[in-house]
Amino acid sequence: MSARAGIVVTGTEVLTGRVQDLNGPWLADRLLELGVELAHITICGDRPEDIEAQLRFLADEGVDLIITSGGLGPTADDMTVATVAKFAGRELVLDARLEAMINDIVTRLMARFPNVDADAVRASNRKQALIPEGAHPLDPVGTAPGVVVPGSPTIVVLPGPPRELQPMWHTALQDPALQEAIAGRTTYRQETVRMFGLPESGLADTLRDAEQTVAGFDRLEITTCLRRGELEIVTRYEPDAADSYAALLALLRERHGREIFSEDGSLVDEQVARLLTGRRIATAESCTGGLLSARLTDLPGASAYVAGGVVAYSNEAKAELLGVDPDLIATHGAVSEPVAEAMADGALRHFGADTAIAITGIAGPGGGSEQKPVGTVCFSLKLADGITVTRTMRLPGGRSDVRERSTTVAMHLLRRALTGDAAAIG
């Protein structure tokens, strides 16, 4: 059996849902990449007895490694290190090197706040230099250091903010106690296939057939997920099961070659960014309120190809900002293919772009009709060379689902148009 791990996410704000847990899923992915089996992710509040209960539970489950996140600050409710020390039967001791490092960090921070008592702040932060005796300190990324506590299980204590936890995890990986804890890990390969335009039921049918036709199918650990209207198929396997994965991939290509858009795990956003090299794109959005522009500009380097975008929510804005003829709206309605095309034309003109895409729809929950129910969305893609692709789709889900899925449809329209396959969008 492979080395096993558990994750304890601490913080009352996470437990109550006020703050979303980003650390548990991120650490889970890192463990899977290492070939370490993840047994449990638990979330508990900032109470020593609850934190200790989670540690005890995971230890009783026989895990080799426990990772905690959160509770490393200077305040009274930051008590993870003290709780871990008690659990591991170790005294807390002051690490002079850490104390000096934290003092230096705090002194630099306090220079921005001359009216704050820097000595008092340094005194409160001294708590963060206390670590379990014999533990291996991890230098702070913010002000809070982490620690690796050798033992059975080994415990890695990391801060809560993801911007601090993530780089510290990579440092912790070099620690000999952590390496010893995961020495029994299994080497895995992990592959990701992404599809668009296929219902989950269609993929489920194919996977059921694969159970009967793919030799060694039971050696493939397959996870499927519907995300933003796309299907993600993640397959993990040991290297000697590569032929089984190749057979599965061949079956997926045979059944769903049209729907597969990524076999290397790349996202449609990344593919569109590459396809827009040397082009200038503009957006015209109504129901999505700028979400498509946000996706296009989310990747670094977007300024090289994104010219700009217009959120024309009202009919007046469509007319004034994009030059849509009010008679066109009166005749066909704001949610219509002629209006979507006019919006795309307006974006091309307004920004002097060579590529434009427009979205107008009914996100709900109100505003629908028998002819145009909630979820009706019109898309129009225009290229300066004369290519126009216009589609109307009925998207499922609530308001946020319709808006988010609309951006996914738009990204795939772009991808297919820029690869000469726009007619495939149905």
Side-chain angles (χ1 to χ4, degrees):
M1 181 180 290
S2 177
R4 299 172 73 240
I7 298 169
V8 180
V9 178
T10 71
T12 302
E13 71 282 2
V14 182
L15 181 65
T16 58
R18 295 196 305 275
V19 173
Q20 181 184 0
D21 172 31
L22 301 178
N23 293 332
W26 188 87
L27 287 168
D29 282 343
R30 303 294 78 74
L31 290 169
L32 288 173
E33 289 169 359
L34 289 169
V36 177
E37 294 290 344
L38 177 61
H40 301 276
I41 298 178
T42 69
I43 300 176
C44 66
D46 297 305
R47 293 175 292 270
E49 59 272 20
D50 293 336
I51 298 172
E52 186 170 356
Q54 304 310 308
L55 297 173
R56 179 65 58 194
F57 164 73
L58 291 172
D60 289 346
E61 288 290 294
V63 301
D64 304 286
L65 176 69
I66 298 175
I67 307 168
T68 74
S69 76
L72 303 191
T75 59
D77 61 347
D78 293 315
M79 54 191 69
T80 302
V81 171
T83 304
V84 168
K86 178 184 175 184
F87 175 78
R90 297 171 182 251
E91 295 291 329
L92 282 175
V93 295
L94 182 68
D95 187 297
R97 187 186 67 87
L98 278 182
E99 183 182 27
M101 184 180 297
I102 294 168
N103 280 340
D104 183 57
I105 293 169
V106 171
T107 298
R108 292 199 307 270
L109 289 174
M110 287 304 98
R112 306 176 193 173
F113 307 98
N115 296 324
V116 175
D117 185 346
D119 289 337
V121 174
R122 278 191 289 269
S124 66
N125 276 275
R126 185 174 186 269
K127 168 188 175 185
Q128 296 178 106
L130 294 170
I131 66 171
E133 187 174 12
H136 307 159
L138 301 169
D139 289 353
V141 176
T143 62
V147 291
V148 178
V149 184
S152 183
T154 291
I155 304 174
V156 179
V157 182
L158 300 175
R163 67 182 180 279
E164 297 179 23
L165 176 142
Q166 293 177 13
M168 192 178 289
W169 166 250
H170 294 299
T171 301
L173 274 179
Q174 310 307 313
D175 188 271
L178 190 154
Q179 284 296 316
E180 183 179 351
I182 63 174
R185 66 188 185 274
T186 302
T187 300
Y188 287 102
R189 293 180 183 172
Q190 183 167 293
E191 307 287 351
T192 301
V193 172
R194 302 185 192 278
M195 299 184 185
F196 177 72
L198 178 71
E200 288 183 277
S201 58
L203 177 61
D205 288 342
T206 298
L207 293 179
R208 277 193 292 269
D209 290 344
E211 289 185 58
Q212 308 301 320
T213 60
V214 172
F217 181 82
D218 59 343
R219 300 194 61 201
L220 304 177
E221 183 182 315
I222 301 171
T223 304
T224 64
C225 177
L226 182 64
R227 197 191 311 273
R228 278 183 164 181
E230 299 169 345
L231 277 174
E232 177 184 270
I233 306 99
V234 178
T235 306
R236 198 166 68 118
Y237 57 92
E238 294 181 47
D240 60 356
D243 288 345
S244 298
Y245 178 72
L248 172 64
L249 183 57
L251 180 62
L252 292 175
R253 289 170 176 162
E254 176 189 340
R255 298 277 187 91
H256 312 298
R258 171 64 69 182
E259 291 80 17
I260 293 173
F261 70 89
S262 172
E263 294 183 5
D264 61 1
S266 61
L267 302 170
V268 68
D269 305 55
E270 297 164 338
Q271 295 177 2
V272 167
R274 289 193 292 270
L275 291 167
L276 285 171
T277 300
R279 306 187 71 95
R280 295 288 283 170
I281 186 171
T283 61
E285 300 181 66
S286 184
C287 66
T288 47
L291 292 176
L292 178 59
S293 291
R295 280 187 74 165
L296 286 169
T297 56
D298 195 47
L299 293 177
S303 59
Y305 52 83
V306 176
V310 171
V311 176
Y313 212 73
S314 69
N315 291 343
E316 292 78 12
K318 291 178 177 66
E320 293 174 10
L321 300 177
L322 295 169
V324 178
D325 187 342
D327 290 339
L328 200 65
I329 298 175
T331 301
H332 299 282
V335 180
S336 63
E337 292 188 358
V339 168
E341 291 181 356
M343 290 170 64
D345 283 331
L348 278 177
R349 289 192 307 269
H350 186 83
F351 292 101
D354 54 45
T355 307
I357 189 160
I359 306 174
T360 178
I362 306 167
S369 66
E370 185 175 344
Q371 293 76 27
K372 297 178 182 178
V374 169
T376 301
V377 185
C378 301
F379 305 84
S380 185
L381 168 70
K382 296 217 170 191
L383 305 183
D385 60 11
I387 293 176
T388 298
V389 181
T390 304
R391 296 285 186 270
T392 298
M393 301 186 73
R394 173 82 184 280
L395 301 178
R399 181 178 179 84
S400 61
D401 297 316
V402 170
R403 282 157 49 89
E404 187 172 54
R405 285 172 184 259
S406 292
T407 68
T408 297
V409 172
M411 294 297 279
H412 282 280
L413 270 173
L414 276 167
R415 177 183 64 84
R416 287 177 167 170
L418 296 174
T419 55
D421 191 27
I425 289 282

